[in-house]
Amino acid sequence: MAILEVSNLKKVYTTRLGGTHVQALRNVTFSVEQGEYVAIMGESGSGKTTLLNILAALDTPTSGQVIVDSKNLSDLKEKDLSAFRRNNLGFVFQDFNLLDTFNLQDNIFLPLVLSGKSYPEMKQKIDPIAAELGISDILQKYPYEVSGGQKQRAAVARAIITEPKLLLADEPTGALDSHSADGLLRTFDQLNADGQTVVMVTHSVKAACHAQRVLFIQDGEVFHQLYRGKHTEEELFALISDTLTLLATGGEKDA
């Protein structure tokens, strides 16, 4: 069953003076099954971050539609869209987006506070998540007191505490050292093994190797896709690298 359906998505930006139109996305169509782990790759300017922002309901398409859990995002009014985003979508940012004036626990609680949950409800939810992510002992610390890896695990906790239908991640390992990045990717693996649907935009071939499927975006279109299937991690790494080379050298789009 598809938890996410994207159909004929287009996004055109107009410059401030209105004289120039930039087409960021053109006719993007794909779906993501419930429980799937999909990575989206492409060169800078290919449209992948624009695509992720539209999937997260942080931006609106010029045309086409995004359906999440049978709900067409274009049909929702702004107030309803905010509630839908909060209750159904989790988002992990490259730069963590934690509030420095809140400790980690309060940062993680934020989406539940906005949903009107009581403290006992929130505490019941955070304890197992913090234990699973290995941050139970730092919940009272502030973001500036912990490492990048710990910040990102707190950001993941905030994203999943609402039990979202879809977890979206934008370059989640981009600001991390290799050790912290490996730890975060293992966390994503475990979340996916537990049934969490994940869509991740990444430049990292290593990160993409953790996904079940890799979508490649070029000039605002889906250029190609690879399935993990029975490939070893080394084989998948080579296939992804070859496809990125093809993108960089102007290869032909899949028919």
Side-chain angles (χ1 to χ4, degrees), residues 132-182:
E132 183 178 352
L133 294 175
I135 56 173
S136 299
D137 59 339
I138 59 169
L139 289 177
Q140 301 309 313
K141 291 185 179 291
Y142 288 80
Y144 53 82
E145 297 179 306
V146 301
S147 70
Q150 290 169 325
K151 287 180 190 176
Q152 195 61 298
R153 290 201 295 277
V156 171
R158 180 186 56 192
I160 66 174
I161 199 166
T162 58
E163 300 177 29
K165 300 287 195 311
L166 187 60
L167 179 62
L168 303 167
D170 187 10
E171 301 284 2
T173 62
L176 302 178
D177 60 59
S178 59
H179 176 74
S180 297
D182 288 345

Side-chain angles (χ1 to χ4, degrees), residues 126-255:
I126 198 174
D127 285 345
I129 291 173
E132 183 178 352
L133 294 175
I135 56 173
S136 299
D137 59 339
I138 59 169
L139 289 177
Q140 301 309 313
K141 291 185 179 291
Y142 288 80
Y144 53 82
E145 297 179 306
V146 301
S147 70
Q150 290 169 325
K151 287 180 190 176
Q152 195 61 298
R153 290 201 295 277
V156 171
R158 180 186 56 192
I160 66 174
I161 199 166
T162 58
E163 300 177 29
K165 300 287 195 311
L166 187 60
L167 179 62
L168 303 167
D170 187 10
E171 301 284 2
T173 62
L176 302 178
D177 60 59
S178 59
H179 176 74
S180 297
D182 288 345
L184 182 67
L185 292 170
R186 286 194 296 271
T187 295
F188 274 39
D189 289 344
Q190 186 57 56
L191 289 170
N192 180 245
D194 292 340
Q196 178 67 62
T197 308
V198 180
V199 176
M200 172 179 64
V201 160
T202 183
H203 277 106
S204 166
V205 177
K206 186 175 183 180
C209 284
H210 285 253
Q212 297 162 0
R213 177 163 55 115
V214 184
L215 285 176
F216 298 89
I217 305 292
Q218 182 186 47
D219 298 330
E221 295 184 274
V222 176
F223 172 85
H224 184 57
Q225 61 180 337
L226 289 172
Y227 287 86
R228 170 185 288 279
K230 296 182 179 179
H231 294 300
T232 65
E233 190 168 324
E234 292 77 12
E235 289 170 340
L236 189 59
F237 191 99
L239 288 169
I240 292 171
S241 298
D242 289 347
T243 304
L244 291 174
T245 299
L246 192 62
L247 282 170
T249 55
E252 291 296 318
K253 176 183 176 291
D254 279 355

Side-chain angles (χ1 to χ4, degrees), residues 2-236:
I3 193 71
L4 170 67
E5 297 176 81
V6 179
S7 302
N8 301 314
L9 205 63
K10 295 181 183 179
K11 180 65 180 182
V12 178
Y13 291 103
T14 303
T15 57
R16 186 173 297 176
L17 298 178
T20 306
H21 298 280
V22 178
Q23 186 150 18
L25 297 174
R26 63 186 82 221
N27 297 321
V28 173
T29 298
F30 67 94
S31 63
V32 175
E33 298 298 307
Q34 187 168 347
E36 197 175 7
Y37 186 169
V38 176
I40 298 174
M41 303 192 79
E43 296 186 290
S44 295
S46 62
K48 60 188 185 301
T49 297
T50 297
L51 172 60
L52 196 69
N53 286 338
I54 291 174
L55 301 185
L58 298 172
D59 197 358
T60 55
T62 303
S63 62
Q65 60 183 17
V66 175
I67 298 173
V68 178
D69 195 28
S70 302
K71 289 280 195 318
N72 189 333
L73 300 189
S74 299
D75 293 340
L76 298 176
K77 297 179 181 178
E78 187 56 42
K79 180 181 177 182
D80 297 329
L81 188 60
S82 297
F84 182 84
R85 184 192 303 122
R86 189 167 59 242
N87 295 328
N88 294 277
L89 303 174
F91 204 102
V92 180
F93 301 88
Q94 177 178 346
D95 57 359
F96 321 127
N97 274 28
L98 298 174
L99 300 174
D100 279 336
T101 53
F102 285 11
N103 63 27
L104 296 185
Q105 177 172 277
D106 288 342
N107 267 285
I108 295 166
F109 278 163
L110 193 55
L112 298 181
V113 171
L114 295 172
S115 297
K117 302 296 184 185
S118 67
Y119 179 79
E121 287 179 281
M122 294 190 294
K123 194 75 171 75
Q124 186 178 22
K125 281 180 172 290
I126 198 174
D127 285 345
I129 291 173
E132 183 178 352
L133 294 175
I135 56 173
S136 299
D137 59 339
I138 59 169
L139 289 177
Q140 301 309 313
K141 291 185 179 291
Y142 288 80
Y144 53 82
E145 297 179 306
V146 301
S147 70
Q150 290 169 325
K151 287 180 190 176
Q152 195 61 298
R153 290 201 295 277
V156 171
R158 180 186 56 192
I160 66 174
I161 199 166
T162 58
E163 300 177 29
K165 300 287 195 311
L166 187 60
L167 179 62
L168 303 167
D170 187 10
E171 301 284 2
T173 62
L176 302 178
D177 60 59
S178 59
H179 176 74
S180 297
D182 288 345
L184 182 67
L185 292 170
R186 286 194 296 271
T187 295
F188 274 39
D189 289 344
Q190 186 57 56
L191 289 170
N192 180 245
D194 292 340
Q196 178 67 62
T197 308
V198 180
V199 176
M200 172 179 64
V201 160
T202 183
H203 277 106
S204 166
V205 177
K206 186 175 183 180
C209 284
H210 285 253
Q212 297 162 0
R213 177 163 55 115
V214 184
L215 285 176
F216 298 89
I217 305 292
Q218 182 186 47
D219 298 330
E221 295 184 274
V222 176
F223 172 85
H224 184 57
Q225 61 180 337
L226 289 172
Y227 287 86
R228 170 185 288 279
K230 296 182 179 179
H231 294 300
T232 65
E233 190 168 324
E234 292 77 12
E235 289 170 340
L236 189 59

